[in-house]
Amino acid sequence: MKRSITSRLAGFYKRPPEGRLVLLREMGAASVEAFEHLARGGGLPVALADRMSENVLATHALPLSVGLNFLVNGRDVLVPMAVEEPSVVAAASNAAKMVRGAGGFKGEADAPVMTAQIQLDDVPDPASAAARVLEHRERILALGDASIPRMVSRGGGCRDLEARVLDDALGVLVFHVHVDVGDCMGANTVDTVAEAIAPAIHAITGGTMGLRILTNLTLRRRVRVSAEVRDEEVGGAEIAQGIARASRFAELDVFRAVTHNKGFMNGLDAVAVALGQDFRAIEAGAHAFASMSGKYRPLSTWKRAPGGLVGEAELPLAVGTVGGSVNAHPGVRAALELLGVESAAELSVVMASVGLASNLAALRALAGEGIQRGHMRLHERKRELPSVPPAAMTAAREEAT
Ligand code: MEV
């Protein structure tokens, strides 16, 4: 059920954390259980953490914030963000406010298709072996479907099989199986399919069986977002021109492109962490995609348009709203409720929008007053934080030994 909430919350930042929770609770932005969890300080009970990982000692916390002003495909969204770096949340919220005036972020995601690879070595005549396997495509995909019956009953399942000869002389042949994984991130699902169909493929090709594992370059699961912003929102035509020049700089130069993309991922990763997503997979896929043309390129661009700028971004994004830590972690469940998305596709559009917002905020600061002034104001607050006195740490260590 879509809730009717606003993400325009004037003076939100001036309230203490409890006051922010009160406001969101009054809006009905999440369930009573979610607010109870957040009011207790959020986080993860150690007993649960102990079931999620190994050799657990305690839990490791980050600030959980909410990004404001986001209008995504016509819907107001409150965006949970977990990040240690000051100014990421404020900057993204600021940029979202600028974009809002011109209609907000628009985006769409591909069907949630994940891909696994099956490697075979020493295959005699790999091109004709590939062709023979593809003659059995339907039977092999049916074998794959039989290994994931629950996913198939939910509308997912195997969609396609492809072959790639990587080295003719060495007989290195790789198959890609493409699987619709619904609203899951889908790593386990595609790995299961790859292991289930590999023997049937091997029986046709001969050679030596190699890896059976997903690729994190999920080219069939991409998200595209765009946004417009008017000159007056960014501080005038000169700054808008500066933003477009900064974007072009990233298109021309790998040293700049990587920092540009880091700024884009600042916002996207913060949402990924808040929502318990596999941010290592996301990062690996994003940077491989950025290099697909043979040259490392920006994931997003800002170009001049009459009276403003148009921003666009595209990247592979494998995220889930069910399964994994989404079900296990109470903080992730609360964050998902706050965000209010109904599908993994919707989540990926929000995440890419937050990336584009972070990128706009960074380029605007760099093209205007420079990153240090605004950024550093927020860093100042961090400097005021108490640090754990080393003496206390030593005493604790001594006590423990
Ligand atoms: C800092 O976390 C991110 C920036 O370096 C991004 C950029 O330069 O575009 C400000």
Side-chain angles (χ1 to χ4, degrees), residues 85 256 259-260 262-263 266 362-363 366 371:
E85 184 177 336
R256 177 55 210 157
T259 318
H260 178 106
K262 191 278 183 182
N266 266 348
L363 299 192
L366 292 165
I371 203 75

Side-chain angles (χ1 to χ4, degrees), residues 113-119 160-162 174-179 186-187 189-195 197 211-218:
V113 172
M114 293 291 280
T115 303
Q117 299 189 289
I118 297 153
Q119 173 206 358
D160 202 3
L161 185 68
E162 278 179 306
V174 169
F175 289 89
H176 284 193
V177 59
H178 303 284
V179 184
T189 307
V190 274
D191 289 348
T192 300
V193 168
E195 290 185 8
I197 67 175
L211 309 184
R212 290 140 290 159
I213 185 71
L214 91 166
T215 170
N216 288 118
L217 181 54
T218 57

